[in-house]
Amino acid sequence: MLDDVEQLICLFNHCFVDYDTVLVAGDDEPLYLPKGQGRAQHQIIFAHGFFASALHEIAHWCIAGEQRRLLEDYGYWYHSDGRNQQQQHAFEQVEVKPQALEYAFCLAAGRPFQVSVDNLSGFQSDRHAFGAAVEQQYQYYLKQGFPLRAQRFIDLLTTARQSQLLGSL
């Protein structure tokens, strides 16, 4: 199992040097910042140094197109915890693809995955239905292919985990 956050940061930063993008452990909320305004590189900032947060934010980056990667947080809206029913359904529609990628990353790294509805103090949707939608998207990616950057990262995580397992023998 790949579980060292510092190793994950090094792996990502080496793998995507050609995208001028770095993975950064943050203190609070995750955020994507394009280069400029004193930043020499694009930054994927994940929350509290959590491994799962890093994989989730990488998944968003793997989906974002070239123009979106020039915008703070890819130009998307985000309503924090406390979303109403309509906001929560919109959130879940947007989250299916990145969480399906996060699931693939977790499998490649040998880590557990849990879907996240990320709305503790708001409308409580059907977590199982959302999990089924994430699984369906994951199965679609398996059949049709993952986005290119996502596949590149899956391959890297798989290789790193296998190397770690072989090194422990």
Side-chain angles (χ1 to χ4, degrees), residues 15-161:
C15 183
F16 294 108
V17 69
D18 55 323
Y19 282 88
D20 208 15
T21 302
V22 293
L23 183 62
V24 178
D27 293 326
D28 200 15
E29 292 295 318
L31 180 67
Y32 173 78
L33 296 171
K35 69 179 171 180
Q37 298 182 353
R39 288 179 300 279
Q41 296 173 300
H42 306 291
Q43 297 179 1
I44 302 169
I45 304 168
F46 63 99
H48 306 289
F50 294 147
F51 199 97
S53 176
L55 294 182
H56 184 78
E57 297 311 312
I58 292 167
H60 277 287
W61 178 80
C62 286
I63 291 171
E66 189 174 341
Q67 292 303 309
R68 290 246 181 227
R69 292 192 313 270
L70 298 176
L71 304 172
E72 183 173 318
D73 259 355
Y74 315 109
Y76 290 122
W77 61 270
Y78 178 74
H79 292 285
S80 59
D81 191 24
R83 292 181 291 275
N84 64 32
Q85 183 175 1
Q86 180 183 2
Q87 292 167 332
Q88 183 63 20
H89 286 304
F91 169 83
E92 289 176 11
Q93 286 179 336
V94 171
E95 279 291 308
V96 168
K97 287 182 180 181
Q99 289 201 31
L101 292 184
E102 180 185 352
Y103 179 35
F105 297 161
C106 285
L107 290 173
R111 297 186 56 88
F113 170 76
Q114 291 186 16
V115 295
S116 174
V117 294
D118 193 29
N119 201 29
L120 298 174
S121 65
F123 174 77
Q124 296 302 303
S125 61
D126 183 346
R127 182 183 182 89
H128 296 291
F130 179 61
V134 170
E135 176 67 31
Q136 183 177 13
Q137 181 63 48
Y138 171 74
Q139 292 299 324
Y140 174 84
Y141 281 144
L142 282 176
K143 291 177 186 150
Q144 301 300 317
F146 289 91
L148 292 176
R149 283 174 283 143
Q151 186 63 62
R152 185 171 167 182
F153 195 58
I154 290 166
D155 294 344
L156 177 69
L157 290 172
T158 300
T159 300
R161 182 177 51 85

